[in-house]
Amino acid sequence: MQSPSGLDIERTSAPYDPQVDSSASSKRLNKKALLNKIRWRHDGEHPGSKLAWKTLRSMLRLSWYTQFRTREQSGAEEIEKDRGMVALAWHTAGLVDPMAIVQSCEKQFIMVGRHDLMTRPILGPWSRAIGAQPVLRQREIDEGTTEPEFAKHINDRSLLTVAHTISGGHGCIIMPEGTSQIEPRMMPLRSGPMRIALNAAAAAQSKNRKLPSIRPVGLHFRTAWEFRTDCYVEFGEEIEISDLVDESVVESLMDSRWAEPSRDNVNELRNRIKKSLDIMTPDADSWDQFHSWSVISHIEKSHQNQPHKKWSEEVHGIRSVRDRIRSGELSDEIMAPASRIEKQLQTHGLDPRSIDSNGIKSASIGTSIKGILGLILMVTMIPLSIMTLPQALLAWWLGNNSDEGLDARSTFHVLAVTFSPIIIWPFFTIPLSIFIALNITPDLVYITSIILSILLIPLLHIGNLIFLVGYDAVCDVQTGFARKKLQRIAPQTISDDISLILGFLK
């Protein structure tokens, strides 16, 4: 297999298949809603409302800038606007994963998700409005949540809708593992995404349209379940699919009938997708191993006077280290000193950014000054940011007490920010606007209060962003203190291990 670093390597990580428990929500089946409330169509047009999509995408943009400290993307510029696309990514952060892809690409997407995401009280109406399609997994059948016949009816209708929508030039985001998880490598891929991709190609061919682009997407979060982490969305090279289109399936889709592609074609596409996505994920045995690769990369690039300045650079640097170790270009003995350094960093709440070829990085005077200014910004913005406190506390509590797992923690952060402008903020903005209007323009109180209520929403968002800039600066100061503490405790042992690493890198 050819890696992005130009090496022919053999993937050595074994498949990972944890026993993930079903959540309580996934066991609540609302048949009536699934039958009567889902928007679906099989003519190639998107089943969702364009207005709802644009509105939700704008609301998600609040979360895009709030959840992540840095945001990067690559490869999206190569996506054709008039051609359908299937974006396939590993699933590591719940609803944050599709949000990151949506914000990195201009296409209107059709979503496929667990059935309960379409029927929940708050999320459900929005999911249905944007045309999201429910699927009932084999797990729901095995656990008795639904009958096989009902699952087949819903799934055939949904998959046919998705296939035709993609063929019409729209996008679709699919997580082929079938569930979100926190391990640093992919679980075995399900067949559903492959069937969707193959039938989307067949639907396009039946209408003499361009075959959809099947693209692996690398979702890289520094720590997926942490607030204010770094995000890098990497659109990979297109996966060939033209040789896997089944003519019998094309004929069925011309009659708007779902037909199963051949098992051989499904398995072949699954293999192609797995090979592409493995490379674009951490693909590590543990997070400790991944962070040890990162230690090596930081030391190497620092020694070359090319230190990592962006998270995307770190991702590709770590990938290069991983592939060189697996190909034998780098001795795996380099992992022992890297692991010792990684454990020291982890013990002190630090990550590999705190290391370079000279040892533990020192905090600059500028960092302390920024921290003071950051604290001033936070205090200054408290009158505006206080209006975000209720949903922030609720998101924190739900994320830490959900049975969905650690990978869903940031989902609650995103949902809180996304829906705050329409659910929470009005409780503050409307009374405040009326109070101001009564004191400034008592004769035009209704008009003035409405205008002020609308204007206060972006003002609140700007206030939150300024508050977060200050928060980031204060966190940097805390990191500086942690580095100083580590420098006092173990400077020589770390220097010795760095020397060992540099010796292996020669």
Side-chain angles (χ1 to χ4, degrees), residues 215-263:
R215 289 189 179 272
V217 180
L219 293 177
H220 308 287
F221 308 110
R222 191 177 293 277
T223 307
W225 48 89
E226 286 188 359
F227 183 63
R228 298 299 286 173
T229 193
D230 299 304
C231 172
Y232 169 43
V233 181
E234 178 188 14
F235 290 88
E237 294 184 4
E238 184 176 324
I239 297 173
E240 180 60 39
I241 197 174
S242 60
D243 60 321
L244 302 178
V245 179
D246 193 326
E247 289 298 330
S248 63
V249 175
V250 173
E251 294 177 6
S252 294
L253 291 176
M254 289 177 69
D255 297 330
S256 291
R257 291 183 293 107
W258 177 263
E260 292 293 338
S262 73
R263 180 176 296 180

Side-chain angles (χ1 to χ4, degrees), residues 369-500:
I369 294 174
K370 289 180 181 178
I372 295 171
L373 293 175
L375 187 60
I376 293 173
L377 285 179
M378 292 175 69
V379 173
T380 304
M381 289 298 110
I382 283 178
L384 291 177
S385 298
I386 197 68
M387 301 183 192
T388 306
L389 184 61
Q391 62 268 33
L393 291 175
L394 179 62
W396 174 83
W397 185 87
L398 290 173
N400 290 334
N401 292 277
S402 170
D403 66 350
E404 297 279 358
L406 183 60
D407 51 290
R409 187 173 184 266
S410 51
T411 293
F412 292 99
H413 302 161
V414 168
L415 290 177
V417 175
T418 300
F419 292 105
S420 286
I422 61 173
I423 296 178
I424 305 295
W425 287 358
F427 286 103
F428 296 96
T429 58
I430 292 176
L432 181 59
S433 298
I434 294 174
F435 174 78
I436 295 173
L438 286 171
N439 286 275
I440 297 178
T441 57
D443 296 333
L444 300 171
V445 63
Y446 295 110
I447 296 176
T448 305
S449 60
I450 291 174
I451 294 174
L452 288 174
S453 295
I454 296 173
L455 292 177
L456 278 175
I457 290 178
L459 182 62
L460 286 176
H461 179 55
I462 293 171
N464 286 338
L465 293 181
I466 295 174
F467 182 90
L468 290 173
V469 169
Y471 172 82
D472 292 338
V474 171
C475 289
D476 289 343
V477 173
Q478 292 177 326
T479 298
F481 287 143
R483 288 178 180 177
K484 286 183 178 180
K485 183 177 180 180
L486 182 56
Q487 285 173 334
R488 291 195 302 269
I489 295 175
Q492 189 58 50
T493 56
I494 289 177
S495 294
D496 292 344
D497 282 332
I498 289 174
S499 297
L500 288 173

Side-chain angles (χ1 to χ4, degrees), residues 15-117:
Y16 177 77
D17 191 9
Q19 295 298 315
V20 182
D21 293 331
S22 296
S23 67
S25 180
S26 69
K27 295 180 180 180
R28 291 193 289 268
L29 181 68
N30 189 335
K31 283 189 175 182
K32 187 176 180 181
L34 292 176
L35 286 171
N36 303 320
K37 292 187 177 182
I38 303 300
R39 296 168 175 247
W40 60 272
R41 56 194 302 171
H42 300 154
D43 57 1
E45 296 296 321
H46 199 290
S49 161
K50 287 186 178 180
L51 177 61
W53 172 258
K54 289 181 179 179
T55 302
L56 183 59
R57 195 172 188 276
S58 298
M59 291 165 59
L60 285 170
R61 203 153 192 82
L62 302 181
S63 297
W64 178 240
Y65 284 98
T66 301
Q67 180 68 23
F68 303 120
R69 181 167 179 173
T70 64
R71 302 150 298 277
E72 301 174 76
Q73 72 82 18
S74 66
E77 62 280 357
E78 298 178 7
I79 298 171
E80 301 172 56
K81 293 182 179 180
D82 61 343
R83 185 182 175 198
M85 181 188 73
V86 178
L88 296 143
W90 80 311
H91 205 3
T92 185
L95 292 180
V96 175
D97 295 337
M99 184 270 282
I101 297 175
V102 164
Q103 294 301 323
S104 301
C105 179
E106 293 299 324
K107 277 192 176 294
Q108 182 179 3
F109 287 93
I110 182 168
M111 305 294 184
V112 185
R114 209 172 65 193
H115 68 93
D116 58 298
L117 299 179

